[in-house]
Amino acid sequence: MIDLRPVRGTRDFYPPQLRLRQWLFDIWRRTSAQFGFEEYDACILESEALYVRKAGDEITEQLYSFQDKGNRRLALRPEMTPTLARLILQREKALGFPLKWFSIPQCFRYERMTRGRKREHYQWNLDIVGQPGNVAEVEVISALIMSLEAMGLDASRVRLHVNDRRLLGEVLDHIGIPAERHLPVMVVMDKRDKVAPESLAAMLAEQGLTGPQLEKLNAFLAMEGLDEVQHALGDESAGARALDDLLSLMGRVGFGDTLVFDITVVRGLSYYTGTVFELRDRSASLRAICGGGRYDSLLSTYGGPEIPAIGFGFGDVVILELLGDLDLLPDLRSEIDYVVFPFSDEQVPAALEISQQLRRKGYRADADFGSRKLKRALQRAGDMGARHAILLMPDEMARGEIVVRDLERREEQRVGLEEFLKQTK
Amino acid sequence: MIDLRPVRGTRDFYPPQLRLRQWLFDIWRRTSAQFGFEEYDACILESEALYVRKAGDEITEQLYSFQDKGNRRLALRPEMTPTLARLILQREKALGFPLKWFSIPQCFRYERMTRGRKREHYQWNLDIVGQPGNVAEVEVISALIMSLEAMGLDASRVRLHVNDRRLLGEVLDHIGIPAERHLPVMVVMDKRDKVAPESLAAMLAEQGLTGPQLEKLNAFLAMEGLDEVQHALGDESAGARALDDLLSLMGRVGFGDTLVFDITVVRGLSYYTGTVFELRDRSASLRAICGGGRYDSLLSTYGGPEIPAIGFGFGDVVILELLGDLDLLPDLRSEIDYVVFPFSDEQVPAALEISQQLRRKGYRADADFGSRKLKRALQRAGDMGARHAILLMPDEMARGEIVVRDLERREEQRVGLEEFLKQTK
């Protein structure tokens, strides 16, 4: 016997799991369309070179990468943003900016598995490219919150923690970290929730932070209000001003309750340049549900022009676990309009013909050839989520009649087959 | 500058291509639902062991395979049927047979690229598992033909060529090929359209066929009617009887015109055991559009019980090319109900708020912050497929009014903002 389990860290989707996944994807697609985003996609395989970065991003250490039969270094994409950048740069001249694009790619990371963390997940990516300033932030974050509402999640359950890399940069400046160390320091800071304080301190020391600098950094990270940070910085802060404006605009469009300023939000990807945000379960039992931010320099690091961009990635694994915990998953059943049951071999061709005629009329119809007893047939029809069962019994069929049973009303009637097919249309 | 092209043999899907793909997937999903099939899926990564076969299948030589960081031998799936078998065997006891399942997986094969052949494609897989005999054939083939009709293809454009591996086995028996050579001989026979006659003859000689045997085989392969083959075989032929019954049932459900018996159809996969079929463009400009067949022994080769099964794989690349050649691709545009245009910075927050309120009411709404001149704004609204443009002009806004323009009727009216938001619901 071969090993029947899926590859470690990956999932099988039997019909019940697939229905849930489709329900989630439908919410993502509907929300995207409501905001005017268009869907794009690309192959799950990309050149490994697309993910080479200098700042020590965890993601590049977790690549599923290999050499193909033509000696190309390839990788299964760990995230979609580099692919988005590639697509845009490839046709930059022909595309009309700003672009509002979304995708639901499967992404892979070879990492230790814990609850809410597999080696693959599907991730709703929603991005606005070519739009500077907070209007893009408002659109992207509003779409995110609308999708949560469609899942039954509101500000009492989840909060969007927002920060700004520019503000973090000002903080690091303030405590005397040279600009060229900002990015690697931020990548380390992002591990704050994942490693013990001593390990984090050691990693920051490795990045050149002195004891007093670490102390000052921790003092900043303990601050709760934007005013407090602004006050501690002393100087006029561009990061704080941008955040203040964003929070006020989000209030105006009606989502003020869901947003909260959080100076500890960094995000692990080195390409973020401005706003960063993380959606968190308020019961805090799970890690970040979704994260994103502004990345105005990513396209230029690939050799293209500077094009402002912002977006997020929202994975399916964590949210489905959270919705399950909160008992918010819908009860999705299979559904069909008619199931035809032949009760002897002679009725089999008629069953095929009747179900096919019903489909021609636009109905969802099925035929069941294995349930030759009435009780079993009705049970099977129920399992299949059928509205009606059509019973082909030898005596009735000899008279050109069928029995149509309404499974909801538990009523049945004998009708002529011809007549029935004329009626239903 | 990094290489911006997709990995060789793979495709990018910009929004226009994605819309076409989605249109095709929707037809596949709708048809599947109409026939009572349920969707499943699994990860694109599988254990390489799932594809190890003895009969020389081309598919196992074209694997994208590699070793992961945990030293597992993995492969990107080249086809879905082994995964389907794995899923079924994993839960065999809990599943209610017959299963009618479908999936639209992406599949990979590292092969030479020609027209209609990439290294990845999406493939509609539709299978009935646990149903012996021709009723499953009728359901699966009918679903295939219904999906073609939804694309605008009928019997004048495409034909389904059917054959039966049992009949081919009888032919090979008849010309004296020992049973254990049947499978490798059939795998070679399938290359008939791809290699020159001399190469094919050489490959068959390698499989032990003598000159006279090859001659007899070619005589059989030149026969057009099922009667003729039956007559040449002499003995009662189970394969011919099954085919005869299938053709008659397909006539009864109304698809007789689309099917044609074709003794040259073999299919390249070694696991087929009965009916095999191939959908071909009647202009014959492209290779097989879709293929499938019965594989009653696949599950037992993985160590499970014998469970009868039949299905097909229908790729997206060839069909989209064919539909393009026949000018049958739909003209799909992006669509949105409202686009809001602020004509100065002061109107930006109002634009965000109005578009968000429209979304709350269920409309698809967008705001455009870059088109500050009327002519440009209306052109942009047209490009976005908008039904209405909402123009926020400083003077009108000062009076609490907006201009709503119906882009189809080319009419516009000034209305109070409050009133407008009350009206639209």
Side-chain angles (χ1 to χ4, degrees):
Chain A
M1 188 76 134
I2 58 151
D3 189 349
L4 297 175
R5 292 169 303 176
V7 170
R8 189 162 162 72
T10 74
R11 293 167 294 167
D12 288 331
F13 293 88
Y14 286 86
Q17 288 87 45
L18 201 286
R19 281 197 290 270
L20 269 183
R21 184 178 102 182
Q22 202 59 49
W23 169 80
L24 183 67
F25 287 9
D26 282 348
I27 289 177
W28 287 343
R29 287 210 164 89
R30 230 170 26 237
T31 307
S32 303
Q34 242 189 327
F35 279 76
F37 287 80
E38 294 193 283
E39 191 167 356
Y40 71 97
D41 196 9
C43 186
I44 201 162
L45 277 183
E46 287 279 8
S47 292
E48 193 180 23
L50 207 56
Y51 307 107
V52 174
R53 271 169 229 154
K54 298 181 204 102
D57 297 39
E58 210 172 29
I59 209 167
T60 61
E61 295 158 14
Q62 299 171 335
L63 282 182
Y64 274 89
S65 57
F66 63 99
Q67 195 146 321
D68 79 0
K69 292 186 202 295
N71 296 324
R72 294 172 192 88
R73 289 298 309 172
L74 304 180
L76 298 181
R77 64 181 163 225
E79 52 157 342
M80 198 62 172
T81 315
T83 297
L84 174 65
R86 184 178 65 68
L87 289 180
I88 289 168
L89 290 176
Q90 197 178 198
R91 301 222 180 145
E92 190 219 327
K93 296 279 180 285
L95 295 169
F97 293 94
L99 298 173
K100 296 177 78 173
W101 280 9
F102 81 98
S103 191
I104 309 180
Q106 192 180 19
C107 299
F108 287 82
R109 297 190 192 183
Y110 194 89
E111 57 184 343
R112 256 194 72 234
M113 279 176 299
T114 53
R115 182 166 147 79
R117 201 183 274 262
K118 307 264 174 209
R119 289 185 176 153
E120 56 79 22
H121 69 170
Y122 285 86
Q123 196 188 61
W124 181 31
N125 275 253
L126 187 103
D127 294 86
I128 299 183
V129 178
Q131 178 78 60
N134 272 329
V135 291
E137 266 81 347
V138 173
E139 295 273 279
V140 161
I141 294 173
S142 298
L144 172 57
I145 298 175
M146 286 276 279
S147 80
L148 297 169
E149 289 182 1
M151 298 170 204
L153 291 172
D154 59 22
S156 73
R157 290 273 165 70
V158 290
R159 278 274 176 82
L160 194 82
H161 295 238
V162 287
N163 196 9
D164 197 300
R165 283 273 178 105
R166 287 164 293 187
L167 184 68
L168 285 170
E170 290 166 335
V171 167
L172 296 180
D173 270 343
H174 186 81
I175 62 180
I177 318 267
E180 70 274 15
R181 305 306 306 158
H182 285 191
L183 219 46
V185 166
M186 288 186 204
V187 168
V188 171
M189 283 166 67
D190 183 60
K191 300 190 203 293
R192 202 163 177 257
D193 288 343
K194 296 177 199 159
V195 301
E198 315 81 61
S199 319
L200 194 79
M203 288 160 85
L204 287 170
E206 243 174 71
Q207 295 295 337
L209 263 74
T210 64
Q213 283 178 325
L214 185 59
E215 219 163 284
K216 280 186 205 160
L217 180 60
N218 282 332
F220 268 105
L221 294 179
M223 294 178 187
E224 296 212 332
L226 194 49
D227 288 349
E228 195 184 352
V229 179
Q230 167 77 69
H231 185 76
L233 284 173
D235 297 332
E236 180 61 22
S237 157
R241 204 167 49 240
L243 274 169
D244 198 49
D245 178 53
L246 174 60
L247 290 167
S248 130
L249 282 173
M250 288 305 299
R252 172 128 187 207
V253 297
F255 294 125
D257 287 355
T258 311
L259 264 69
V260 55
F261 165 68
D262 183 346
I263 190 151
T264 71
V265 171
V266 184
R267 302 301 301 155
L269 297 164
S270 60
Y271 52 65
Y272 289 126
T273 54
T275 316
V276 280
F277 54 87
E278 226 168 71
L279 185 75
R280 295 214 187 125
D281 174 9
R282 288 191 74 170
S283 71
S285 61
L286 293 168
R287 59 177 186 152
I289 299 165
C290 159
R294 182 167 277 285
Y295 50 99
D296 289 349
S297 312
L298 180 62
L299 280 76
S300 69
T301 66
Y302 288 135
E306 290 251 346
I307 301 179
I310 179 172
F312 62 76
F314 186 167
D316 67 336
V317 175
V318 179
I319 190 69
L320 287 176
E321 278 187 6
L322 174 63
L323 293 172
D325 290 348
L326 296 174
D327 210 14
L328 286 173
L329 291 176
D331 182 25
L332 304 166
R333 298 198 45 201
S334 57
E335 278 179 11
I336 195 143
D337 300 310
Y338 289 96
V339 183
V340 186
F341 293 92
F343 287 103
S344 77
D345 285 346
E346 288 74 51
Q347 271 76 57
V348 165
L352 289 168
E353 198 182 349
I354 294 167
S355 50
Q356 185 53 32
Q357 290 213 35
L358 287 166
R359 289 168 196 142
R360 278 251 169 267
K361 291 166 187 282
Y363 291 104
R364 291 164 301 176
D366 202 353
D368 181 298
F369 305 98
S371 310
R372 292 288 169 89
K373 296 224 159 111
L374 183 61
K375 199 178 153 190
R376 165 96 186 103
L378 293 181
Q379 197 199 319
R380 173 98 179 142
D383 292 346
M384 295 162 88
R387 304 241 155 86
H388 302 90
I390 295 182
L391 312 171
L392 308 185
M393 327 249 202
D395 291 351
E396 278 81 357
M397 283 297 279
R399 295 194 302 270
E401 285 182 352
I402 59 172
V403 176
V404 181
R405 189 178 168 90
D406 185 319
L407 292 166
E408 248 163 65
R409 299 191 197 160
R410 293 160 177 261
E411 290 169 6
E412 63 180 43
Q413 52 170 334
R414 266 170 189 64
V415 284
L417 176 55
E418 295 289 320
E419 194 193 343
F420 169 76
L421 290 175
K422 250 182 246 157
Q423 274 172 12
T424 49
K425 62 163 181 200
Chain B
M1 186 76 132
I2 59 152
D3 189 349
L4 298 174
R5 292 168 304 175
V7 169
R8 191 163 158 71
T10 75
R11 292 167 295 166
D12 289 330
F13 293 88
Y14 286 85
Q17 289 87 46
L18 202 285
R19 281 198 290 272
L20 268 183
R21 186 178 99 182
Q22 203 58 48
W23 168 79
L24 183 67
F25 287 9
D26 283 347
I27 288 178
W28 287 344
R29 287 209 165 90
R30 231 171 23 239
T31 307
S32 303
Q34 241 189 328
F35 279 77
F37 288 79
E38 294 192 284
E39 191 167 357
Y40 71 97
D41 196 10
C43 186
I44 201 163
L45 276 183
E46 287 280 9
S47 292
E48 193 180 24
L50 206 57
Y51 308 106
V52 174
R53 272 169 227 153
K54 300 183 202 100
D57 297 40
E58 213 172 27
I59 208 167
T60 61
E61 295 158 15
Q62 299 172 335
L63 282 183
Y64 272 88
S65 57
F66 64 98
Q67 198 147 318
D68 79 0
K69 293 187 202 294
N71 296 324
R72 295 172 190 87
R73 289 298 309 172
L74 304 180
L76 298 182
R77 67 182 161 224
E79 51 156 341
M80 198 62 173
T81 315
T83 297
L84 174 66
R86 183 177 66 67
L87 290 181
I88 289 168
L89 291 175
Q90 197 179 198
R91 302 223 180 144
E92 190 218 328
K93 297 281 182 284
L95 295 168
F97 293 96
L99 299 172
K100 297 177 78 173
W101 280 9
F102 81 99
S103 191
I104 310 180
Q106 191 179 21
C107 300
F108 287 82
R109 298 190 191 182
Y110 194 89
E111 55 183 345
R112 257 194 70 233
M113 280 177 296
T114 53
R115 183 166 145 79
R117 200 183 276 261
K118 306 266 175 209
R119 288 184 178 154
E120 55 78 21
H121 70 168
Y122 286 86
Q123 196 187 60
W124 182 30
N125 276 252
L126 187 104
D127 295 86
I128 298 183
V129 179
Q131 178 77 60
N134 271 329
V135 290
E137 267 81 347
V138 173
E139 296 273 278
V140 161
I141 294 173
S142 298
L144 172 56
I145 299 175
M146 286 276 280
S147 79
L148 296 169
E149 289 182 1
M151 299 170 202
L153 291 172
D154 60 21
S156 73
R157 289 273 164 69
V158 289
R159 279 273 177 81
L160 193 83
H161 295 239
V162 288
N163 196 10
D164 196 300
R165 283 273 178 104
R166 288 164 293 187
L167 183 68
L168 285 171
E170 290 166 336
V171 167
L172 296 180
D173 270 343
H174 186 81
I175 63 179
I177 318 267
E180 70 274 14
R181 304 307 304 159
H182 285 190
L183 219 46
V185 167
M186 287 187 205
V187 168
V188 171
M189 283 167 67
D190 183 59
K191 300 190 202 293
R192 200 163 180 258
D193 289 344
K194 297 177 199 158
V195 301
E198 314 82 61
S199 318
L200 194 81
M203 288 159 83
L204 287 169
E206 243 173 71
Q207 294 295 336
L209 263 75
T210 64
Q213 282 177 325
L214 183 60
E215 218 164 286
K216 280 185 204 159
L217 180 59
N218 282 332
F220 269 104
L221 294 179
M223 294 178 187
E224 296 211 332
L226 192 50
D227 288 349
E228 195 185 351
V229 178
Q230 168 75 72
H231 184 78
L233 283 173
D235 297 332
E236 181 60 22
S237 156
R241 205 168 49 240
L243 275 169
D244 199 49
D245 179 53
L246 174 60
L247 290 167
S248 131
L249 282 173
M250 289 304 299
R252 174 129 183 205
V253 297
F255 295 125
D257 287 356
T258 312
L259 264 69
V260 54
F261 164 68
D262 183 345
I263 189 150
T264 70
V265 170
V266 184
R267 301 301 301 157
L269 297 164
S270 60
Y271 52 64
Y272 289 127
T273 54
T275 318
V276 279
F277 54 87
E278 224 168 73
L279 185 75
R280 293 211 189 129
D281 175 9
R282 288 191 74 171
S283 71
S285 62
L286 293 168
R287 61 181 186 148
I289 300 164
C290 161
R294 182 167 277 284
Y295 50 98
D296 289 349
S297 312
L298 180 62
L299 280 76
S300 69
T301 65
Y302 287 135
E306 290 251 346
I307 301 179
I310 179 171
F312 63 75
F314 187 167
D316 67 335
V317 176
V318 179
I319 191 69
L320 287 176
E321 279 189 4
L322 174 63
L323 293 172
D325 290 349
L326 296 174
D327 210 13
L328 286 173
L329 290 176
D331 182 24
L332 304 166
R333 296 199 47 203
S334 57
E335 277 178 14
I336 196 141
D337 299 310
Y338 289 95
V339 183
V340 186
F341 294 92
F343 287 103
S344 78
D345 285 346
E346 289 74 52
Q347 271 76 58
V348 165
L352 289 168
E353 198 183 347
I354 293 167
S355 49
Q356 185 53 33
Q357 291 213 33
L358 287 166
R359 289 168 196 143
R360 277 251 170 264
K361 291 165 185 282
Y363 291 104
R364 292 164 300 177
D366 202 353
D368 181 298
F369 306 97
S371 310
R372 293 287 170 89
K373 296 226 159 106
L374 183 62
K375 199 178 153 189
R376 165 95 186 103
L378 293 180
Q379 197 199 318
R380 173 95 179 144
D383 293 346
M384 294 162 88
R387 303 243 155 86
H388 302 90
I390 295 183
L391 313 171
L392 308 185
M393 328 248 201
D395 291 352
E396 278 82 354
M397 283 296 280
R399 295 195 302 270
E401 286 181 351
I402 59 173
V403 175
V404 180
R405 191 180 166 90
D406 185 319
L407 293 165
E408 246 165 63
R409 299 191 195 160
R410 292 157 178 264
E411 290 169 6
E412 63 181 41
Q413 51 171 337
R414 264 169 191 64
V415 285
L417 176 55
E418 295 290 319
E419 194 193 343
F420 169 74
L421 290 175
K422 249 183 249 159
Q423 275 174 11
T424 49
K425 58 165 185 194

